[in-house]
Amino acid sequence: MIRVTIDGVVQEAMSGERLIDVINRAGVKISQVCYHPQLGPIQTCDTCMVEANGQLVRACATTASTGMEILTKSEKAAAAQREAFDRILSNHVLYCTVCDNNNGNCTIHNTEKLLGIEHQPIPYHSKPYEEDHTNPFYRYDPQQCILCGRCVEACQNVQVNETLSINWEDPHPRVLWDGGSTIGESSCVSCGHCISVCPCNALMEKSMLGHAGFFTALPKTTLSGMIDVVKGIEPETGYGAILKLSDAESHMRESRTRRTKTVCTYCGVGCSFNIWTKDRHILKVEPLDGPTNGISTCVKGKFGWDFVNSADRLTKPLIREGGKFREASWDEALGLVARKFLELKAENGPDSLAFVSSSKCTNEESYLMQKLARAVIGTNNMDNCSRYCQAPATQGLFRTVGYGGDSGSIRDIENAGLVLIIGSNTAESHPVLATRVKRAHKLRRQKLIVSDLREHEMAKRADLFLRPKPGTDIVWLSAVSNYLLDNGMVSTEFLAKWVNGLEEYKKSLAPFTMEFASRTCGLPVDILKDVAHMIAEASGVCILWAMGVTQHSMGSDTSTAISNLLLITGNYMKTGAGAYPLRGHNNVQGASDHGAMPNFLPGYQSVDDPEVRSRFESCWNVQLPSTKGLDNHEMVEAIHQGKLKAMYLFGEEMSLVDSNANFVGDGLSKLDFFVVQDIFFSATCRFADVVLPASPSLEKEGTFTSTERRIQRLYQVFEPLEGSRPDWQIIQEIASRLGATWQYQHPSEIYREIASLTPLFAGVTYERLEGFKSLQWPVRADGTDQPLLYTKEFAFPDGKARLFPLSLTEPTDQPNAEFDLHLNNGRLLEHFHEGNMTYRSEGIREKTPDTFVEVSPELAEERGIQSGTWVQLTSRYGQVRVRALVTDRVHGKQLYMPMNSVESPVNRLTSSYTDSVTHTPAYKEASVHLRVLPEVGESPLPRINYRFGHPTPQHGVEVERKWKRPDYRMPGNGLVQIQTN
Ligand code: SF4
Ligand code: SF4
Ligand code: SF4
Ligand code: FES
């Protein structure tokens, strides 16, 4: 710590801290138009000029040093600030009263007030450009753009999509997309970073336009007239009077615009933000304070919320009668559910019923669902969709380090020396997390290795891209481990202190030589040695993996191999290192954590542990079943065998997302009684006997747990749509009709019970999670959490990790002469899973209307396929018809099909083979035959899809180019030009 003086008052600062941060912390108000703490100094606006030791400097780009004397309001500083701001106003018309951005947080408006500028010495000059409305979600108005460059910085260096730049050398600079394309045809992924950081109305969400203000919906001609009047009276009245009027209008907005914190309902990254609403209209999503994401979102979190107000929402319970559904009252539907459950339990025993929880719903709801299954019905037949994706990763970690969660935070991934991504299309499946890797790679020279079948964005960016043969990651991972051990490139100290089982593990590696791996995986030995050396030399290694690893018949073993590799190289127990299985759904981690599993009560407490059971039994006042129940995969088998008669499932599209969908559908149609609870009439509802209308995340309170074990609260944005109910209330109602006496009035009461029964969450309370606060489990009773999972010991009785020996397993469903192509599948950035929510966003549909199958250029040439050609894919299990997209993301005889389709779901083609330990389907092991159909349609991806754009990477906003303009002069006298990194 050092001391500096600000306007005569001594302040503490950290050595090297930005002056502007010190000044802001001291509560001294100075103008700072282009500065945003999450972007760092951009230095385009010059409004933050202060005197430091007698010299005028930009406060954002100058660092504090001992004894520095800073004057923020000296004559020189004030004149420079005003001059800088005058120049900004020459690019911007102040029509605040009729501006949708007049919400109290407009930087231009507030700076105008702060500096008390009454008149505009440099007149406004318009630019020869039109507004650009070609993106479905936002528009750019060059006339209002002050060229601060925040958007460029965010796009280039935070999102790292590298779409935006400013043509500083042009007589009329403006923001450019792909160097001069329309927004709609550019590489813009509609993540919204640029809009979220724009300090004025130049970039705005279309959902705000005409909706945010009281006068902003007026016809354009009327608005122009009003703006002209304002401009006309400004010379006489000055800005002060005009701003008073707009301030009054802004205050009026406060009475009708609500800002509510929520957590994203899509992927497991766990972005949180404020959502602005006016009645049931979503004005915008405003990310800023989220502990994981800050200003970041992806297109789904920022713009993918239309589904909440979709006309398709279910609002009445439905009962199947005579092969058709009819509407019913809640009373009738719930009465029927309770009666049938009781009948079937009486006839066939509790284990003839099964329960499937939702990874989209809250922790509290998963807890209640498993409590219903166990305490009310008396069965452990309870699972959630982590069975479809994450269970093998959890297993790999259980075997080696003890807990089934990410070993650190996204911040650790950012700080790693080397990130190794295996079987994860991170930029599309976990977009905001990927931005942190892209940023560290671009700005901090973090090393990146990617192993994947497809050359997706992260693979293109990688320092080393491995394309092993399908299903062989376990081989090269084990060979690299073997090589590291053989060559003394491991952390002997860490192994000696923290790890058991080295000798046995070493023996198991004997078959995994580099040569064997090279032959099996199709990777050169030299490349594998490079991987080993990069791992050994890195200051810290984080391994990220997802469904490309887990959805294999050896998914648990490959996950184990990853953790083994991290252990021998000492990449646990420190920041910037560790194992990161990337959780798919927003609450897939939480659903498992809170007991929606056949073998675990909440907090991974085993159902066969008498001590655990007795704790729950005395709280719930029941006897609990003690043997493991059926998992999702076993449930389908049990239906086919006639053992399982009834199922209650909520928020889960099982008939499309489970593998071998035809087999699953046949099973569901054989159930005696099937209850589906959802917000839409999903494909799975077609098999139901009763459909119950539920509420999405924006209509309820509760908590979600993200991939980094982060528990966060979501607050209710809207009342439940009339006729629908939050899932926790429906489950409670069913429990009551089955004889339970639950009395939860609010999800916080449910959490109190969870915390009292579950050591992992002992200190979790709603108060500790208030607003944007969060906790990363385990949470001790005093509220201490653990961002870094292993600090003092591993989660085994002796505190030591365990190396787990592995052997080779062959992938299933291999290609042969008939089924000669390998079919891979996964997510797309724009659509979540089958698209039940995202297809209801008009903008997303416009950009990405349908699914497709990716075909390599070589295969396309061989078979006469072009983008748009219809093809029929046939596997050993089913058939789909789909349009081809020719792309070099895939190669050779490998196809890729995203899962965003209800009509042609890829899972009609996948098998019932599973990972032998967890029963996670081997989705990624599928072989198909491709038949070219005679029809050729449009390309399945329109030209306006971002994949056709041409990014323009550069180093941020490149303000030095602005400084070189002949018309640029630093404001104030005798200024020092600051050079920055
Ligand atoms: S990708 Fe598009 S939405 Fe995202 S920051 Fe860049 S220009 Fe803005
Ligand atoms: S569009 Fe970009 S450069 Fe223009 S004002 Fe907004 S953030 Fe600044
Ligand atoms: S990255 Fe995931 S959590 Fe974040 S906004 Fe996108 S979908 Fe939501
Ligand atoms: S805030 Fe420092 S130059 Fe803009």
Side-chain angles (χ1 to χ4, degrees):
M1 298 301 286
I2 56 167
R3 285 178 172 204
V4 298
T5 311
I6 302 175
D7 297 334
V9 180
V10 176
Q11 296 289 341
E12 289 220 312
M14 278 174 290
S15 176
E17 193 177 0
R18 291 173 202 145
L19 277 192
I20 202 153
D21 290 338
V22 186
I23 293 169
N24 289 340
R25 208 176 46 249
V28 175
K29 298 257 178 274
I30 66 161
S31 48
Q32 44 192 296
V33 172
C34 73
Y35 183 65
H36 188 299
Q38 292 182 45
L39 297 175
I42 301 175
Q43 303 186 80
T44 50
C45 78
D46 296 337
T47 59
C48 65
M49 291 293 182
V50 294
E51 267 190 80
N53 295 341
Q55 280 194 320
L56 272 177
V57 295
R58 296 186 187 96
C60 65
T62 308
T63 51
S65 56
T66 309
M68 198 177 236
E69 301 234 350
I70 303 149
L71 297 175
T72 68
K73 295 178 180 61
S74 69
E75 207 176 306
K76 269 205 293 189
Q81 291 162 9
R82 288 175 64 108
E83 185 183 343
F85 193 65
D86 284 343
R87 291 187 197 160
I88 283 174
L89 287 185
S90 71
N91 279 310
H92 190 90
V93 185
L94 287 171
Y95 52 74
C96 311
T97 314
V98 291
C99 173
D100 282 301
N101 203 43
N102 186 35
N103 301 298
N105 62 344
C106 175
T107 308
I108 307 280
H109 181 102
N110 295 344
T111 308
E112 167 71 33
K113 269 172 51 180
L114 178 72
L115 297 180
I117 292 177
E118 285 292 337
H119 297 288
Q120 201 163 320
I122 311 175
Y124 169 77
H125 59 269
S126 71
K127 304 176 194 102
Y129 310 116
E130 297 294 316
E131 290 182 11
D132 187 335
H133 287 257
T134 56
N135 180 288
F137 306 110
Y138 70 97
R139 70 100 181 90
Y140 172 59
D141 181 357
Q143 302 300 342
Q144 290 292 85
C145 174
I146 57 165
L147 299 168
C148 69
R150 278 192 191 184
C151 57
V152 178
E153 186 66 23
C155 185
Q156 289 284 343
N157 287 345
V158 181
Q159 159 66 22
V160 199
N161 207 57
E162 301 170 322
T163 300
L164 296 186
S165 59
I166 293 178
N167 50 349
W168 290 117
E169 292 75 16
D170 195 277
H172 302 282
R174 55 160 285 169
V175 176
L176 298 176
W177 276 253
D178 284 1
S181 153
T182 61
I183 305 177
E185 294 199 322
S186 74
S187 59
C188 169
V189 290
S190 304
C191 64
H193 281 75
C194 53
I195 314 147
S196 296
V197 298
C198 180
C200 62
N201 62 344
L203 278 168
M204 284 201 75
E205 298 84 354
K206 287 187 175 172
S207 49
M208 287 283 280
L209 299 176
H211 292 283
F214 280 88
F215 307 114
T216 54
L218 294 172
K220 216 167 175 168
T221 44
T222 318
L223 282 179
S224 305
M226 289 170 78
I227 293 167
D228 287 343
V229 170
V230 173
K231 275 200 262 176
I233 60 171
E234 178 260 316
E236 218 169 289
T237 61
Y239 279 129
I242 297 170
L243 292 192
K244 274 203 186 97
L245 187 64
S246 57
D247 279 348
E249 197 267 351
S250 169
H251 284 309
M252 279 161 61
R253 293 185 193 190
E254 281 167 23
S255 62
R256 67 172 195 184
T257 303
R258 286 185 69 218
R259 301 173 196 199
T260 317
K261 183 244 173 160
T262 193
V263 182
C264 184
T265 192
Y266 286 107
C267 90
V269 173
C271 299
S272 53
F273 28 72
N274 278 327
I275 191 152
W276 292 28
T277 52
K278 188 178 85 177
D279 303 321
R280 279 194 78 93
H281 175 74
I282 295 175
L283 286 165
K284 71 168 170 176
V285 162
E286 182 193 35
L288 182 61
D289 297 319
T292 300
N293 57 312
I295 56 169
S296 297
T297 43
C298 76
V299 57
K300 300 183 291 297
K302 178 80 180 170
F303 297 113
W305 296 94
D306 291 354
F307 74 91
V308 176
N309 286 322
S310 159
D312 306 339
R313 281 279 304 276
L314 288 171
T315 53
K316 288 245 165 52
L318 303 173
I319 292 179
R320 181 189 292 277
E321 221 170 56
K324 284 201 178 123
F325 284 101
R326 67 161 171 85
E327 291 183 351
S329 68
W330 272 101
D331 191 48
E332 184 189 7
L334 294 172
L336 177 63
V337 172
R339 198 171 68 247
K340 291 294 287 184
F341 281 1
L342 288 173
E343 271 172 29
L344 289 164
K345 181 179 162 181
E347 280 167 28
N348 307 289
D351 288 336
S352 65
L353 283 81
F355 297 79
V356 177
S357 190
S358 171
S359 325
K360 285 264 152 279
C361 293
T362 63
N363 290 326
E364 294 76 359
E365 289 166 336
S366 272
Y367 175 83
L368 285 197
M369 189 67 158
Q370 62 87 40
K371 184 172 175 181
L372 174 72
R374 294 184 162 117
V376 182
I377 299 291
T379 180
N380 280 320
N381 293 344
M382 174 77 245
D383 209 359
N384 74 89
C385 80
S386 68
R387 187 70 45 203
Y388 300 144
C389 54
Q390 286 301 330
T394 305
Q395 185 64 27
L397 296 175
F398 276 160
R399 282 171 169 176
T400 51
V401 283
Y403 280 132
D406 285 11
S407 47
S409 306
I410 292 171
R411 195 163 294 264
D412 288 297
I413 300 174
E414 228 173 313
N415 292 334
L418 166 69
V419 169
L420 171 49
I421 299 179
I422 309 174
S424 157
N425 180 6
T426 323
E428 299 201 47
S429 302
H430 297 85
V432 166
L433 189 150
T435 66
R436 302 320 192 233
V437 179
K438 292 195 283 181
R439 177 177 164 87
H441 186 251
K442 180 174 180 179
L443 303 184
R444 262 202 330 102
R445 298 202 174 89
Q446 180 181 69
K447 290 277 180 277
L448 177 62
I449 303 177
V450 171
S451 170
D452 208 288
L453 302 186
R454 289 171 75 231
E455 195 174 3
H456 50 57
E457 183 186 344
M458 300 310 277
K460 282 197 201 310
R461 289 180 179 273
D463 300 289
L464 202 53
F465 170 42
L466 317 178
R467 207 173 219 173
K469 290 183 193 162
T472 63
D473 284 317
I474 187 171
V475 178
W476 72 258
L477 279 161
S478 299
V480 165
S481 296
N482 198 7
Y483 179 86
L484 288 166
L485 281 161
D486 274 356
N487 290 280
M489 291 155 69
V490 293
S491 178
T492 40
E493 206 182 313
F494 185 86
L495 281 167
K497 190 166 174 199
W498 290 115
V499 186
N500 289 325
L502 180 60
E503 286 315 311
E504 214 191 320
Y505 171 62
K506 263 190 191 168
K507 270 187 229 146
S508 77
L509 289 179
F512 297 99
T513 62
M514 283 292 192
E515 291 67 30
F516 173 70
S518 172
R519 276 195 314 276
T520 313
C521 310
L523 298 168
V525 168
D526 284 351
I527 295 287
L528 292 175
K529 286 186 181 169
D530 284 348
V531 174
H533 284 275
M534 283 171 77
I535 290 173
E537 284 156 22
S539 56
V541 179
C542 286
I543 304 187
L544 283 45
W545 75 103
M547 292 184 271
V549 166
T550 58
Q551 291 178 339
H552 276 286
S553 49
M554 73 302 284
S556 290
D557 285 350
T558 310
S559 301
T560 309
I562 289 171
S563 191
N564 283 339
L565 174 57
L566 288 166
L567 282 172
I568 60 169
T569 50
N571 276 301
Y572 274 112
M573 285 190 150
K574 62 181 183 186
T575 184
Y580 297 83
L582 305 180
R583 309 295 178 176
H585 281 270
N586 57 315
N587 202 36
V588 69
Q589 179 73 49
S592 299
D593 293 349
H594 291 80
M597 296 188 86
N599 51 340
F600 290 125
L601 282 148
Y604 303 98
Q605 302 182 84
S606 185
V607 294
D608 61 14
D609 182 334
E611 189 280 319
V612 167
R613 274 203 319 279
S614 87
R615 192 161 6 104
F616 281 86
E617 283 169 346
S618 61
C619 175
W620 293 348
N621 212 13
V622 290
Q623 282 279 305
L624 288 174
S626 59
T627 49
K628 175 195 163 295
L630 301 175
D631 60 40
N632 286 352
H633 176 75
E634 292 166 331
M635 286 177 199
V636 176
E637 295 287 343
I639 302 170
H640 279 287
Q641 291 160 8
K643 292 181 195 158
L644 194 66
K645 306 287 184 193
M647 189 184 268
Y648 175 17
L649 164 152
F650 75 112
E652 170 69 52
E653 185 59 296
M654 187 169 182
S655 72
L656 297 181
V657 302
D658 199 349
S659 195
N660 199 354
N662 291 330
F663 181 71
V664 173
D666 284 350
L668 296 177
S669 62
K670 286 182 186 161
L671 282 164
D672 285 359
F673 190 61
F674 186 23
V675 182
V676 178
Q677 186 169 305
D678 212 313
I679 58 173
F680 297 116
F681 191 85
S682 65
T684 307
C685 289
R686 291 175 306 187
F687 302 97
D689 295 287
V690 175
V691 176
L692 301 173
S695 311
S697 63
L698 294 193
E699 295 176 2
K700 59 190 170 193
E701 305 238 328
T703 56
F704 288 154
T705 306
S706 70
T707 189
E708 46 178 0
R709 297 171 282 107
R710 190 183 293 283
I711 309 169
Q712 304 185 86
R713 263 182 87 173
L714 43 142
Y715 291 81
Q716 188 179 16
V717 177
F718 299 129
E719 284 299 315
L721 197 65
E722 203 180 335
S724 72
R725 295 182 183 179
D727 296 85
W728 66 272
Q729 288 180 9
I730 305 173
I731 300 166
Q732 172 157 251
E733 184 65 30
I734 290 175
S736 299
R737 286 169 189 254
L738 292 169
T741 52
W742 303 354
Q743 299 286 339
Y744 307 108
Q745 302 298 316
H746 188 264
S748 57
E749 294 169 16
I750 305 172
Y751 218 100
R752 220 170 288 144
E753 183 175 310
I754 298 170
S756 73
L757 290 166
T758 317
L760 208 58
F761 312 124
V764 178
T765 63
Y766 269 41
E767 292 70 34
R768 289 186 176 132
L769 295 174
E770 209 178 317
F772 283 89
K773 286 191 253 170
S774 65
L775 293 164
Q776 288 173 275
W777 64 250
V779 185
R780 289 206 294 269
D782 65 1
T784 316
D785 69 345
Q786 270 180 240
L788 197 60
L789 189 51
Y790 307 108
T791 47
K792 298 196 183 79
E793 57 178 8
F794 288 96
F796 289 116
D798 64 357
K800 285 189 163 195
R802 299 169 180 175
L803 286 165
F804 191 98
L806 296 166
S807 53
L808 186 60
T809 327
E810 295 287 331
T812 59
D813 202 3
Q814 289 290 287
N816 62 10
E818 186 183 355
F819 303 103
D820 58 332
L821 305 175
H822 177 265
L823 176 69
N824 187 10
N825 66 76
R827 290 202 180 133
L828 272 192
L829 172 70
E830 308 90 313
H831 284 291
F832 196 81
H833 256 246
E834 73 295 318
N836 278 350
M837 296 189 292
T838 44
Y839 273 117
R840 289 176 165 92
S841 159
E842 210 179 302
I844 292 180
R845 234 181 26 243
E846 180 186 323
K847 288 272 183 190
T848 314
D850 201 359
T851 193
F852 46 83
V853 59
E854 289 186 351
V855 177
S856 69
E858 341 38 300
L859 188 67
E861 196 182 334
E862 182 193 306
R863 309 263 169 118
I865 297 170
Q866 61 193 68
S867 288
T869 303
W870 283 93
V871 298
Q872 183 171 287
L873 301 178
T874 309
S875 77
R876 296 172 176 106
Y877 311 94
Q879 222 171 50
V880 298
R881 205 174 156 274
V882 64
R883 273 179 292 171
L885 181 77
V886 179
T887 165
D888 60 6
R889 282 189 289 274
V890 285
H891 87 149
K893 290 187 153 193
Q894 292 178 5
L895 306 173
Y896 177 83
M897 211 178 141
M899 47 174 116
N900 57 312
S901 179
V902 175
E903 290 77 33
S904 305
V906 66
N907 288 323
R908 283 210 193 116
L909 302 169
T910 50
S911 74
S912 290
Y913 288 111
T914 65
D915 171 51
S916 54
V917 190
T918 61
H919 289 163
T920 293
Y923 294 93
K924 303 294 192 273
E925 296 173 7
S927 302
V928 293
H929 168 78
L930 179 148
R931 186 160 75 87
V932 180
L933 300 173
E935 308 101 285
V936 179
E938 301 259 292
S939 166
L941 276 185
R943 169 66 192 88
I944 55 166
N945 187 277
Y946 77 91
R947 290 169 183 82
F948 297 110
H950 301 283
T952 48
Q954 62 177 45
H955 294 289
V957 72
E958 297 187 346
V959 67
E960 293 81 0
R961 287 166 47 207
K962 171 180 174 174
W963 295 339
K964 284 190 191 137
R965 283 178 64 92
D967 60 355
Y968 177 74
R969 189 179 69 84
M970 290 189 69
N973 296 316
L975 296 184
V976 178
Q977 180 70 58
I978 308 293
Q979 291 301 319
T980 57
N981 295 324

